[in-house]
Amino acid sequence: MKTGITLVLATALVSSASAADTLITNANGIQVDANGALQHFTGLLVGDDGKVVRLLRAGEPLPKASVTVDEHGRTLTPGFIDAHGHVIELGAHALQLDLVGTRSLSELQQRLRDYAAANPDSKWILGAGWNQELWPDKRFPTAADLDAVMPDRPVVLGRVDGHALVANSAAMRAAGVTPQTPAPAGGEIENGLFVDNAKELINRAVPAATDADLDRQLAKAQDILLGFGVTGVGSMSTALGDWNAMRRAGEAGKLNVRFMVYADELNLLKVAPHPTPWLYDDRLRMVGIKFYADGALGSRGAWMKQPYSDQPGTTGNQLHSNAELRAMADTAAAAGFQIATHAIGDAANAQVISTYEWLDSKYGLNRRWRIEHAQIVDCADLPRTGRAHIIASMQPTHQTSDRLMAEKRVGLDRLRCAYAWKSMLDTGAKLAFGTDFPVESPNPFPGLAAAVSRQDINGQPPGGWLPNERLTFEQALHAYTRGAAYAGFAEDRIGSLDPGKWADFVILDRDISKATVPELYRTQVLETWVGGKRLWTRAPSSSPPERGR
Ligand SMILES: [Zn+2]
């Protein structure tokens, strides 16, 4: 009798385990191995726990599994990890007035008119994505430009880089801002344009998103990310409400993307007193704190050692004194958080490197301190990044988008160690790639293409911009998978399809290891799998899930 029961139980266990095994066959599998070399495989066996049991090699007998999916030779890679994105903003922007790609002020005004007509109940009209650099006269928009279209309802429209906004008179009235209102330190106000720290004067008057708004924005963001094959994200500047929305989604089983969360500096220690463990089957973890050392280059908020070439009166915005940044970093480090600091200008990068060197002397080496963007580094400071084991969290598409603007702002001589992926790797620093979405589209393929070519989607400039900084395909893919996982202390779970890691992978419409640069730019995701489950499938003959930039 006893033996009989054991037998029945054993059979039940075996059949229930195999019932959920999934075998992916006939794939053109590609990933980078732990040594950074390209590794090929033909499929994978996924266990009932959603993790990789093993990779399949050409010619070997197929293991048994209850579900078999034949990929018919399609290309399969690990899911992409975007080391630096703004999750709720991605969803919010997708649901707001979209001004990405406007070619003139009048096009902005037309889109504003249309959106207001389509959303008569929106008390405030919020939008983002304009970039005056794409307009014929390159003039920043003003309050009067918006008043001409929308005199009554408050309108707040963010610049594409998030470092400036333009408000109409109704919004300024609601915010209590008058022509006499002084700009705060680290900010500027001009004709309704609010730069860096001045943005808060307007933003604090905007009615806060409700929990229901945040839930919708998070769901929308996840849809967009899966459509681009992004299965993991370093969620930057995460506010308390955003974190709570992620927790609600986790509780409801609606977290489809894995988020490594970096709390907004203003919420330091409020969101969680210490890093959390991984939650919801490794879909969510509070890992670090995000600080800002300066602003962005487009709005001349990046903090430079020498004055701007096209505006000699300014060196940009230093957001914290050395002592202040050190104290903030010390507090975060003492609580066990990883630190990720935004630094664009060469002065900001030097300040952050010095801060991390000081932390190293106090807390020991290799706590994986991150510099976000690390865009313009003084060549003299570059070797210090490797010595301090810093992770350079960089966005290849910023290089192609910024190139001409950057040359104008600071001149070529100061750009010799700018967007310097290859030089960064050569110092021994670790590289993690992302997009800074929604500043750029979260689509990883333009990033891969830019990383290996230093050319934009139109092939400009011929031969690539500062071409010594081009990466190999393997280095670029590594930074977008294993490197980005490492940057979030997640390399033991994601970033590759090695046995024991989550079966997070994508099916692509082409072999990206053999694609030309233009082909790489046009790569589309056909399916996105997370934890061994197919969560997103491209609709037949549909256009890209979200417009690129
Ligand atoms: Zn960012």
Side-chain angles (χ1 to χ4, degrees), residues 82-93:
D82 192 311
H84 180 127
H86 301 271
V87 176
I88 294 292
E89 283 86 341
L90 178 67
H93 286 195

Side-chain angles (χ1 to χ4, degrees), residues 84 86 290 373 436:
H84 180 127
H86 301 271
K290 162 93 176 284
H373 313 307
D436 200 13

Side-chain angles (χ1 to χ4, degrees), residues 84-86 236-237 290 292 342 372-373 395 436-437 439:
H84 180 127
H86 301 271
M236 287 294 147
S237 312
K290 162 93 176 284
Y292 285 87
H342 165 118
E372 302 307 312
H373 313 307
Q395 299 74 29
D436 200 13
F437 64 76
V439 174

Side-chain angles (χ1 to χ4, degrees), residues 233-416:
V233 170
S235 169
M236 287 294 147
S237 312
T238 310
L240 184 56
D242 306 356
W243 169 253
N244 287 336
M246 290 171 173
R247 292 296 303 262
R248 280 195 298 278
E251 298 294 336
K254 290 179 179 168
L255 275 181
N256 295 326
V257 175
R258 302 184 197 279
F259 295 118
M260 298 161 275
V261 173
Y262 295 79
D264 190 292
E265 62 179 285
L266 301 173
N267 287 290
L268 175 62
L269 305 185
K270 236 192 297 175
V271 177
H274 298 289
T276 68
W278 280 101
L279 305 167
Y280 317 116
D281 283 339
D282 296 347
R283 306 261 167 134
L284 185 65
R285 180 172 182 237
M286 173 78 70
V287 58
I289 307 278
K290 162 93 176 284
F291 296 126
Y292 285 87
D294 65 348
L297 197 58
S299 47
R300 298 190 189 83
W303 176 28
M304 298 297 298
K305 293 183 175 184
Q306 302 298 326
Y308 277 82
S309 305
D310 60 350
Q311 202 176 97
T314 182
T315 53
N317 295 333
Q318 174 182 1
L319 299 185
H320 302 287
S321 70
N322 293 344
E324 206 172 50
L325 187 61
R326 212 179 254 203
M328 287 157 53
D330 195 19
T331 307
F337 285 110
Q338 188 188 17
I339 297 168
T341 311
H342 165 118
I344 304 257
D346 54 8
N349 276 285
Q351 184 192 38
V352 175
I353 294 168
S354 297
T355 305
Y356 289 169
E357 287 168 344
W358 177 80
L359 283 179
D360 283 347
S361 69
K362 182 163 177 179
Y363 293 94
L365 267 180
N366 203 6
R367 296 273 302 267
R368 304 193 192 182
W369 311 128
R370 299 171 51 142
I371 300 183
E372 302 307 312
H373 313 307
Q375 268 175 24
I376 304 176
V377 181
D378 186 334
C379 294
D381 293 325
L382 200 62
R384 298 165 65 197
T385 56
R387 282 200 295 272
H389 297 261
I390 286 171
I391 294 170
S393 165
M394 303 180 77
Q395 299 74 29
T397 45
H398 282 354
Q399 183 266 302
T400 47
S401 298
D402 291 1
R403 174 175 65 91
L404 296 174
M405 179 270 289
E407 287 183 9
K408 228 182 312 159
R409 292 282 185 275
V410 301
L412 253 184
D413 190 48
R414 282 189 280 178
L415 295 174
R416 280 179 298 122

